[in-house]
Amino acid sequence: MELRTVLVVGTGLIGTSTALALRRHGVRVLLADRDPGAVRLARELGAGEEWTPEAPPEEGVDLAVIAVPPAFVASELLELQRHDAARFYTDVASVKAEPIDRARQLGCDLTSYVASHPLAGRERSGPGAAREDLFLGRPWALCPTGEADPEAKAAVLRLVELCGANPVEVGAVEHDRAVAVVSHAPHVTASAVAARLADTTDIALGLAGQGVRDVTRIAGSDPGLWLGILSGNAAPVAEVLEAVARDLTEAAGALRALADGDGTAMQDITQLLKRGVVGHDRIPGKHGGPASAYAVVQVVIGDRPGQLARLFQVCDEVGVNVEDVRLEHAPGLPLGIAELSVQPDAAVPLVEALRDRGWQLP
């Protein structure tokens, strides 16, 4: 099914990113938001034109994308359907079971509605953080109900395709349990670790390395947004956090015993660390495929304009594809370390090329 005109309701990070991705493919995008400033900024970014129910487009709207917090999805769907705003409807909230149940209770037409959720985001929010490539290669969950019309599903699948994401059909309850493990509980855990930094000493913060930045990065997200997400998926998230808490309590007990001279407690810590490695290695790799074991090439890089471009130019010259890159700044110094993840057989040629061109490798 072709999407000629799409209505995006909610011009935050996800809604505006969806609009930008659609605009890239020539889709006409209409924008709506209760915040006039958000709509104005999204328009200035080229995401589309403003929509009002009093002046619908003559050609009609093929699909309405509801990009609002989970608690408001059902009421927004009902209101849009009352105005006959589009042929088909979807939402992009990160919780699925509760909005679907609420939509059914309100008497929404579930034949024209397919719930969905793109598994993509950033720690920043709002239309200013939007990117047209936000969904490229990312999974996008579809949770159609038994009532959903096949054409409605086809419309949402086309949306996913235009945004460059990978569709994954899954039941709403299963979806919510899954995101509790891979998204919602990790966010709370990251926040708990970051909260320890609020009252720590300046000396400790001065010693902070890349590890604590990696663990706490997502803790910088909007608390109000996350409160709505967690409220809509409270029970599954609580179950995961309780399991994490048991592991941490056992680890703390083992460390106390170790501090008191009980060497056997080391086995409990070792088991948790090993389980962590197993879990980490199960995370899908590039493009959702099996996790790959990359070689990491470390390069000293100056904190000056153009340095990364020069580094990538070397990679291009020797035909090495960079699978991932991380930057770690040296505290108090105008330089840092760039960590380039490459295929194992590409590491030696890249190292030799970098040294030949004068790059310093630690």
Side-chain angles (χ1 to χ4, degrees), residues 141-158:
L142 274 68
C143 305
T145 64
E147 300 98 316
D149 189 290
E151 280 195 277
K153 182 178 174 181
V156 181
L157 281 170
R158 180 58 177 159

PDB file of all heavy atoms in Angstrom, residues 141-158:
ATOM      1  N   ALA A 141       8.215  -2.901  16.364  1.00  0.00           N
ATOM      2  CA  ALA A 141       7.223  -3.904  16.749  1.00  0.00           C
ATOM      3  C   ALA A 141       5.837  -3.538  16.234  1.00  0.00           C
ATOM      4  O   ALA A 141       5.426  -2.378  16.310  1.00  0.00           O
ATOM      5  CB  ALA A 141       7.187  -4.047  18.269  1.00  0.00           C
ATOM      6  N   LEU A 142       5.139  -4.533  15.704  1.00  0.00           N
ATOM      7  CA  LEU A 142       3.737  -4.398  15.309  1.00  0.00           C
ATOM      8  C   LEU A 142       2.916  -5.339  16.175  1.00  0.00           C
ATOM      9  O   LEU A 142       3.246  -6.528  16.281  1.00  0.00           O
ATOM     10  CB  LEU A 142       3.544  -4.746  13.833  1.00  0.00           C
ATOM     11  CG  LEU A 142       3.753  -3.634  12.801  1.00  0.00           C
ATOM     12  CD1 LEU A 142       5.224  -3.231  12.757  1.00  0.00           C
ATOM     13  CD2 LEU A 142       3.292  -4.097  11.419  1.00  0.00           C
ATOM     14  N   CYS A 143       1.849  -4.813  16.773  1.00  0.00           N
ATOM     15  CA  CYS A 143       1.014  -5.605  17.675  1.00  0.00           C
ATOM     16  C   CYS A 143      -0.442  -5.529  17.234  1.00  0.00           C
ATOM     17  O   CYS A 143      -1.289  -4.930  17.925  1.00  0.00           O
ATOM     18  CB  CYS A 143       1.159  -5.104  19.117  1.00  0.00           C
ATOM     19  SG  CYS A 143       2.855  -5.059  19.730  1.00  0.00           S
ATOM     20  N   PRO A 144      -0.786  -6.116  16.080  1.00  0.00           N
ATOM     21  CA  PRO A 144      -2.174  -6.043  15.611  1.00  0.00           C
ATOM     22  C   PRO A 144      -3.095  -6.896  16.473  1.00  0.00           C
ATOM     23  O   PRO A 144      -2.727  -7.973  16.929  1.00  0.00           O
ATOM     24  CB  PRO A 144      -2.079  -6.594  14.186  1.00  0.00           C
ATOM     25  CG  PRO A 144      -0.882  -7.499  14.213  1.00  0.00           C
ATOM     26  CD  PRO A 144       0.086  -6.874  15.170  1.00  0.00           C
ATOM     27  N   THR A 145      -4.284  -6.395  16.697  1.00  0.00           N
ATOM     28  CA  THR A 145      -5.297  -7.184  17.399  1.00  0.00           C
ATOM     29  C   THR A 145      -5.982  -8.112  16.403  1.00  0.00           C
ATOM     30  O   THR A 145      -5.778  -8.004  15.193  1.00  0.00           O
ATOM     31  CB  THR A 145      -6.353  -6.266  18.040  1.00  0.00           C
ATOM     32  OG1 THR A 145      -7.046  -5.566  16.987  1.00  0.00           O
ATOM     33  CG2 THR A 145      -5.697  -5.256  18.973  1.00  0.00           C
ATOM     34  N   GLY A 146      -6.817  -9.003  16.921  1.00  0.00           N
ATOM     35  CA  GLY A 146      -7.550  -9.915  16.045  1.00  0.00           C
ATOM     36  C   GLY A 146      -8.525  -9.206  15.137  1.00  0.00           C
ATOM     37  O   GLY A 146      -8.898  -9.730  14.077  1.00  0.00           O
ATOM     38  N   GLU A 147      -8.924  -7.985  15.527  1.00  0.00           N
ATOM     39  CA  GLU A 147      -9.892  -7.248  14.724  1.00  0.00           C
ATOM     40  C   GLU A 147      -9.241  -6.486  13.576  1.00  0.00           C
ATOM     41  O   GLU A 147      -9.939  -6.002  12.680  1.00  0.00           O
ATOM     42  CB  GLU A 147     -10.648  -6.230  15.598  1.00  0.00           C
ATOM     43  CG  GLU A 147     -11.419  -6.852  16.756  1.00  0.00           C
ATOM     44  CD  GLU A 147     -10.636  -6.777  18.053  1.00  0.00           C
ATOM     45  OE1 GLU A 147      -9.419  -7.058  18.036  1.00  0.00           O
ATOM     46  OE2 GLU A 147     -11.253  -6.431  19.087  1.00  0.00           O
ATOM     47  N   ALA A 148      -7.944  -6.332  13.583  1.00  0.00           N
ATOM     48  CA  ALA A 148      -7.258  -5.448  12.631  1.00  0.00           C
ATOM     49  C   ALA A 148      -7.469  -5.873  11.184  1.00  0.00           C
ATOM     50  O   ALA A 148      -7.317  -7.053  10.842  1.00  0.00           O
ATOM     51  CB  ALA A 148      -5.770  -5.383  12.946  1.00  0.00           C
ATOM     52  N   ASP A 149      -7.812  -4.922  10.337  1.00  0.00           N
ATOM     53  CA  ASP A 149      -7.985  -5.159   8.908  1.00  0.00           C
ATOM     54  C   ASP A 149      -6.614  -5.384   8.261  1.00  0.00           C
ATOM     55  O   ASP A 149      -5.649  -4.703   8.598  1.00  0.00           O
ATOM     56  CB  ASP A 149      -8.667  -3.943   8.283  1.00  0.00           C
ATOM     57  CG  ASP A 149      -9.078  -4.186   6.843  1.00  0.00           C
ATOM     58  OD1 ASP A 149      -8.178  -4.283   5.990  1.00  0.00           O
ATOM     59  OD2 ASP A 149     -10.295  -4.266   6.587  1.00  0.00           O
ATOM     60  N   PRO A 150      -6.486  -6.337   7.337  1.00  0.00           N
ATOM     61  CA  PRO A 150      -5.201  -6.555   6.658  1.00  0.00           C
ATOM     62  C   PRO A 150      -4.667  -5.295   5.984  1.00  0.00           C
ATOM     63  O   PRO A 150      -3.457  -5.080   5.927  1.00  0.00           O
ATOM     64  CB  PRO A 150      -5.532  -7.640   5.632  1.00  0.00           C
ATOM     65  CG  PRO A 150      -6.681  -8.392   6.229  1.00  0.00           C
ATOM     66  CD  PRO A 150      -7.487  -7.348   6.946  1.00  0.00           C
ATOM     67  N   GLU A 151      -5.558  -4.429   5.485  1.00  0.00           N
ATOM     68  CA  GLU A 151      -5.102  -3.191   4.852  1.00  0.00           C
ATOM     69  C   GLU A 151      -4.478  -2.251   5.873  1.00  0.00           C
ATOM     70  O   GLU A 151      -3.534  -1.515   5.572  1.00  0.00           O
ATOM     71  CB  GLU A 151      -6.260  -2.507   4.132  1.00  0.00           C
ATOM     72  CG  GLU A 151      -6.590  -3.093   2.775  1.00  0.00           C
ATOM     73  CD  GLU A 151      -7.474  -2.163   1.973  1.00  0.00           C
ATOM     74  OE1 GLU A 151      -8.700  -2.197   2.185  1.00  0.00           O
ATOM     75  OE2 GLU A 151      -6.945  -1.384   1.151  1.00  0.00           O
ATOM     76  N   ALA A 152      -5.011  -2.265   7.097  1.00  0.00           N
ATOM     77  CA  ALA A 152      -4.440  -1.430   8.154  1.00  0.00           C
ATOM     78  C   ALA A 152      -3.024  -1.889   8.472  1.00  0.00           C
ATOM     79  O   ALA A 152      -2.099  -1.078   8.624  1.00  0.00           O
ATOM     80  CB  ALA A 152      -5.312  -1.481   9.405  1.00  0.00           C
ATOM     81  N   LYS A 153      -2.850  -3.194   8.555  1.00  0.00           N
ATOM     82  CA  LYS A 153      -1.521  -3.742   8.806  1.00  0.00           C
ATOM     83  C   LYS A 153      -0.572  -3.407   7.660  1.00  0.00           C
ATOM     84  O   LYS A 153       0.600  -3.063   7.881  1.00  0.00           O
ATOM     85  CB  LYS A 153      -1.608  -5.256   9.005  1.00  0.00           C
ATOM     86  CG  LYS A 153      -0.281  -5.913   9.314  1.00  0.00           C
ATOM     87  CD  LYS A 153      -0.454  -7.412   9.545  1.00  0.00           C
ATOM     88  CE  LYS A 153       0.890  -8.104   9.717  1.00  0.00           C
ATOM     89  NZ  LYS A 153       0.739  -9.566   9.917  1.00  0.00           N
ATOM     90  N   ALA A 154      -1.064  -3.482   6.423  1.00  0.00           N
ATOM     91  CA  ALA A 154      -0.230  -3.165   5.263  1.00  0.00           C
ATOM     92  C   ALA A 154       0.216  -1.706   5.292  1.00  0.00           C
ATOM     93  O   ALA A 154       1.349  -1.381   4.924  1.00  0.00           O
ATOM     94  CB  ALA A 154      -0.997  -3.459   3.970  1.00  0.00           C
ATOM     95  N   ALA A 155      -0.670  -0.820   5.753  1.00  0.00           N
ATOM     96  CA  ALA A 155      -0.322   0.595   5.834  1.00  0.00           C
ATOM     97  C   ALA A 155       0.794   0.829   6.843  1.00  0.00           C
ATOM     98  O   ALA A 155       1.729   1.599   6.597  1.00  0.00           O
ATOM     99  CB  ALA A 155      -1.553   1.417   6.210  1.00  0.00           C
ATOM    100  N   VAL A 156       0.714   0.157   7.984  1.00  0.00           N
ATOM    101  CA  VAL A 156       1.738   0.331   9.011  1.00  0.00           C
ATOM    102  C   VAL A 156       3.055  -0.304   8.563  1.00  0.00           C
ATOM    103  O   VAL A 156       4.137   0.221   8.832  1.00  0.00           O
ATOM    104  CB  VAL A 156       1.258  -0.244  10.355  1.00  0.00           C
ATOM    105  CG1 VAL A 156       2.324  -0.048  11.428  1.00  0.00           C
ATOM    106  CG2 VAL A 156      -0.039   0.430  10.793  1.00  0.00           C
ATOM    107  N   LEU A 157       2.961  -1.441   7.887  1.00  0.00           N
ATOM    108  CA  LEU A 157       4.177  -2.057   7.344  1.00  0.00           C
ATOM    109  C   LEU A 157       4.866  -1.127   6.351  1.00  0.00           C
ATOM    110  O   LEU A 157       6.104  -1.051   6.306  1.00  0.00           O
ATOM    111  CB  LEU A 157       3.836  -3.389   6.667  1.00  0.00           C
ATOM    112  CG  LEU A 157       3.626  -4.584   7.590  1.00  0.00           C
ATOM    113  CD1 LEU A 157       3.062  -5.767   6.805  1.00  0.00           C
ATOM    114  CD2 LEU A 157       4.942  -4.981   8.269  1.00  0.00           C
ATOM    115  N   ARG A 158       4.081  -0.419   5.555  1.00  0.00           N
ATOM    116  CA  ARG A 158       4.665   0.536   4.607  1.00  0.00           C
ATOM    117  C   ARG A 158       5.339   1.680   5.360  1.00  0.00           C
ATOM    118  O   ARG A 158       6.410   2.146   4.956  1.00  0.00           O
ATOM    119  CB  ARG A 158       3.576   1.062   3.673  1.00  0.00           C
ATOM    120  CG  ARG A 158       4.071   2.059   2.638  1.00  0.00           C
ATOM    121  CD  ARG A 158       5.169   1.477   1.770  1.00  0.00           C
ATOM    122  NE  ARG A 158       5.594   2.426   0.730  1.00  0.00           N
ATOM    123  CZ  ARG A 158       6.757   2.362   0.110  1.00  0.00           C
ATOM    124  NH1 ARG A 158       7.625   1.398   0.394  1.00  0.00           N
ATOM    125  NH2 ARG A 158       7.073   3.251  -0.816  1.00  0.00           N
TER     126      ARG A 158
END
